[in-house]
Amino acid sequence: MADITVRKIRFSFEAPFDFDVSDGELGEMLGPLALSMTMPYLEPYLIRTMKVAIKRISDPALAEDARRFSQQEGHHYRNHAVLNDRIRAQFDESVAAALRGIEADLEADYQRFTRTRSLRFNLAYAEGFEAMTCAAALAAAEHGAFESETLPGAEMWAWHMAEEIEHRTVAFDVYAHLVGSYPYRILAGTWSQWHYVSYIRRFAKCMANALGRTPKGPKTPLQRAALRNYLRTWSPRYDPAKIELPAGVEELLARYSAMAAP
Ligand SMILES: [Fe+2]
Ligand SMILES: [Fe+2]
């Protein structure tokens, strides 16, 4: 059984947004804001997938991992929904409506996947998303990005990404238990990453256009580390259980355990 703690934490997002930064810094900021916009749709979709999967899991320890995974994701997206209200409020009503339009498209996609696609597909989507997120979260931890002072909701991001690292084995293990095919993991997983990233681009472009800016795609050591970690997920020998955690992640998780509601 994986070591997963469910922490109920609610963050507040009072700090003002500062878009008056360089094009490079804006690029670094709009990515996470766009990611946040997807969470109230993506994470409930992962939870729905796990709910179906749990009924078929024959290993009680893995079923418990899947339950805790879902509970963690549930706390993540509830915080993101509050941050997203703040994000929309930075823009005028027409931009907020455009953002809501993209949110509706994403929600329609995920509801359709739950309704019409196989569990095999939905589990490959979940693992594709989790593998990509964990690759980025590990890079962020390695490069101290959890201590950002400019990113809106930085503290919540640090908690979320630390928990993504903490539950990194679950979608992989559930996929291995119920599906198992390596080629399908790569095929459907890569498609799911393309699908997901296309929405990140739409959200980021909508915000950049509203600001009248052309943000630069960040090319930092962190981005290169994320890409390296991501490419490793394509290996047939990839197993998130074998990943060595960067320094500081355990301390961060302990800090959030202390912050969580009893
Ligand atoms: Fe999450
Ligand atoms: Fe996750």
Side-chain angles (χ1 to χ4, degrees), residues 43 73 76 160 164:
E43 293 188 311
E73 300 294 26
H76 297 166
H160 187 171
E164 289 301 319

Side-chain angles (χ1 to χ4, degrees), residues 13 15-19 29 32-33 36 83 86-87 148-157:
F13 305 100
F17 284 49
D18 184 8
F19 291 121
M29 192 168 154
L33 295 188
S36 184
L83 175 61
R86 288 269 294 135
I87 294 173
S148 166
E149 277 164 19
T150 50
L151 179 65
E155 171 91 85
M156 188 266 289
W157 273 112

Side-chain angles (χ1 to χ4, degrees), residues 43 46 69 73 129-130 164 167:
E43 293 188 311
L46 301 181
F69 168 96
E73 300 294 26
F129 173 78
E130 289 288 313
E164 289 301 319
H167 73 216

Side-chain angles (χ1 to χ4, degrees), residues 8-67:
K8 182 181 177 184
I9 310 182
R10 294 295 180 265
F11 294 87
S12 63
F13 305 100
E14 305 305 327
F17 284 49
D18 184 8
F19 291 121
D20 195 13
V21 291
S22 70
D23 290 346
E25 287 166 323
L26 188 67
E28 281 176 39
M29 192 168 154
L30 290 188
L33 295 188
L35 276 166
S36 184
M37 295 306 293
T38 67
M39 293 302 167
Y41 313 102
L42 179 271
E43 293 188 311
Y45 164 54
L46 301 181
I47 294 168
R48 293 195 297 275
T49 298
M50 284 301 168
K51 203 174 160 195
V52 177
I54 284 167
K55 292 184 192 133
R56 303 191 190 181
I57 295 173
S58 57
D59 172 357
L62 184 58
E64 180 58 22
D65 285 350
R67 265 179 228 111

